[in-house]
Structure formats: C-alpha cells, structure tokens
Amino acid sequence: MAYVPGVALLAALAVGCSAGSDGSATDADSKPGGPTVTTAPPGKYRTLPAPCRAVPSSTLKDLLPGVAELPRQQQEKALRGSPTITYDTDRKVGCSWKADAPDSSRNLSIDFERVVSYDPLVSDDDRARSLYVKKENAAELPGSSTTGTAPEKGAPTGTGGGEKGQEKETGKAGDGTGSADPSPSASAGTSSGTPGTPGGGDEDLRPRVVDGLGDAAFLDDLLTRAGSTAQHRTVSVVFRTSNVIVTVRYGEQPALVTKVPDSKELQDKAQALARKLAEVISE
C-alpha cells in the first residue's frame, strides 16, 4: 500500500519537470538580443502658417506698388491674395498676389510644403532634404553639381565659370547671346537689371546658393521674352527649414518693351520676404 503513493509521487515529479522545461523554452525565446526596428523621428513642424496672412500688408504694398493706386475696396481685395488650391492643406498651402501700375505689373506667390516621410526608417527631415536637393539641382545653379548633394548652410556659393554655369548665366538671366531677342539694355550690366559677374566690380546677381536662410537655400533668376512683348523677370527663393520647404516667387513685367526689370531690386526684396517667412514658421 505504501508503494502506490511513491509511484504517484514520481509521476507528479515527472509532470513538474516537463512543465518547467516548457517554461524555460518560452523564456529563452523572449530574451533580448534579437533585431529591433528603430522608427525615424518626426519632423519639427506639424502645422503650416496661413499663407495669405503670412505677409504683412505693409510688406505687400512695398512689393506690389500698384496696390497703393487702387480704391480702398479694391486695395483690400488685392491685399487678401488668392489661396492656392490644394487637396491637403496640412501638407501644402500657398497664396498669390498681383498688382498693375502705370509703368509695370508685379506678381508674388508663396508656397509652404510640410514634408512627411511614410518610411519608418527615413525621417521627415531627411525626406525634405532629398526633395530640396532635387529642386536645387533642377535650377542648375552656375558652378554647382547635380550629383544629388546640395550644400547646406555655410557651403560655397558656386560662382565658378563652368560650362553649365555659363549656360545658366546667359540663357536664363537674359545676358548675352543666350537670351531670346536681346536688347541693347539687356547686355549693359547690373545697372540695366541683368545679373553681374565676378571680377568686374559688380555684385554677383546670378542664380546661386544663399547663406544664412533656413537649413539650406538658393536663388534663381529667370528673364524671359515672348515675341515682341515686354521682358518678364521672375526671382525665386527656395529654402528648407527642418521638414518644411518654402518657395517665394516675385516677378515684374514693365509696360515698355525696351525696359528690363531690375534684377537686384527683385532679388533683394524676394530674399527679405523669404527671411521674414522663415521667422513666421519658427514662431
């Protein structure tokens, strides 16, 4: 009679050992050391400014001289601007303005793009940097490389005289034989509104990288003429701050066919506005 409980005891011990070995196997599977996936950090900015309210009225009146000549009701309408139609206002917004004066017409547009990376291994900042590089490479700045790496803050401005840079200077800036139907005033230097070149004492106004604006920035300057119409100059300033890319376009078309829009004035005002917008985003 004493033997039977002993058998039962051995059986119970065997069951206990079996259960313990299963538990230890589970613990081994849950031990650390396996591969882990680290999600890239989100971008600094989660929202965008209201674009049509991002530029103060006083600044708009300076950029659009014709507004001051309008009756009050029309002036208020012109200063309100026209919102850009977008399908995702959390990601991209913009606004544009236009005003006609007796001697010229001017137009202004601003665009904000908040970049979001849907790849958990790529941060919003890295994705924004990649998109910015594509924009800078597409601008074909004189002396800059199109290998996919854009200089960040403090990088050389790239005013070299390479073949691609010369194409940009003559073909896009309305200087020399590369422009369509050049007028005598279009090749007279910076005093007539065309970008200058290094070494001649004139300020270099060619398309270039801009220092001290956001994390990276560049300026483009395009002078065009369609047939016998007046020449139209558009200055674009594009900059990136964290995961937001901002584009400012400021243009002028004189009433007279023989007049060339002043490059320095447009560039200075476009850059000043871009710097104000960088402050608006950071607020």
Side-chain angles (χ1 to χ4, degrees):
M1 296 297 293
Y3 179 76
V4 174
V7 173
L9 178 60
L10 290 174
L13 291 173
V15 171
C17 291
S18 176
S21 62
D22 290 343
S24 61
T26 303
D27 292 340
D29 291 341
S30 62
K31 287 181 179 179
T36 58
V37 178
T38 302
T39 303
K44 177 180 179 181
Y45 300 105
R46 304 295 184 91
T47 60
L48 292 171
C52 292
R53 296 198 298 269
V55 185
S57 297
S58 58
T59 302
L60 287 173
K61 290 178 181 179
D62 178 56
L63 295 171
L64 308 169
V67 169
E69 308 298 327
L70 297 174
R72 182 176 178 180
Q73 192 171 17
Q74 294 182 28
Q75 184 178 135
E76 292 176 352
K77 181 179 179 181
L79 293 175
R80 281 198 296 268
S82 301
T84 302
I85 299 176
T86 61
Y87 297 99
D88 188 352
T89 54
D90 288 334
R91 293 281 306 280
K92 192 170 185 179
V93 294
C95 194
S96 61
W97 299 262
K98 184 178 180 180
D100 296 321
D103 59 341
S104 68
S105 63
R106 301 218 183 182
N107 58 281
L108 169 70
S109 69
I110 60 174
D111 291 291
F112 299 96
E113 181 179 2
R114 185 175 66 89
V115 180
V116 177
S117 172
Y118 294 101
D119 186 341
L121 301 181
V122 179
S123 69
D124 294 345
D125 279 21
D126 287 342
R127 176 60 178 162
R129 184 181 294 108
S130 176
L131 293 178
Y132 169 84
V133 166
K134 290 181 180 179
K135 291 177 182 289
E136 183 176 316
N137 288 344
E140 298 182 346
L141 306 182
S144 67
S145 170
T146 57
T147 58
T149 56
E152 295 278 331
K153 296 173 66 175
T157 56
T159 56
E163 185 174 335
K164 182 177 286 293
Q166 290 300 323
E167 285 182 8
K168 179 75 173 184
E169 180 185 353
T170 58
K172 288 198 68 179
D175 209 4
T177 58
S179 62
D181 189 21
S183 62
S185 63
S187 58
T190 55
S191 61
S192 63
T194 57
T197 55
D202 292 335
E203 182 180 354
D204 185 9
L205 299 174
R206 293 180 301 171
R208 61 197 180 278
V209 168
V210 176
D211 290 327
L213 176 58
D215 296 319
F218 71 88
L219 178 149
D220 201 4
D221 190 324
L222 178 62
L223 182 67
T224 58
R225 182 203 291 271
S228 60
T229 61
Q231 299 188 74
H232 186 279
R233 184 184 296 281
T234 301
V235 171
S236 302
V237 178
V238 181
F239 70 91
R240 179 186 71 84
T241 174
S242 186
N243 62 316
V244 172
I245 298 175
V246 181
T247 301
V248 175
R249 294 185 183 90
Y250 183 43
E252 178 186 9
Q253 180 169 315
L256 297 177
V257 176
T258 56
K259 185 177 180 182
V260 181
D262 184 67
S263 184
K264 186 177 188 309
E265 179 196 1
L266 297 179
Q267 290 192 20
D268 287 349
K269 290 185 175 182
Q271 287 189 76
L273 175 58
R275 296 183 190 281
K276 287 183 179 180
L277 295 179
E279 295 176 358
V280 170
I281 294 175
S282 300
E283 290 178 352

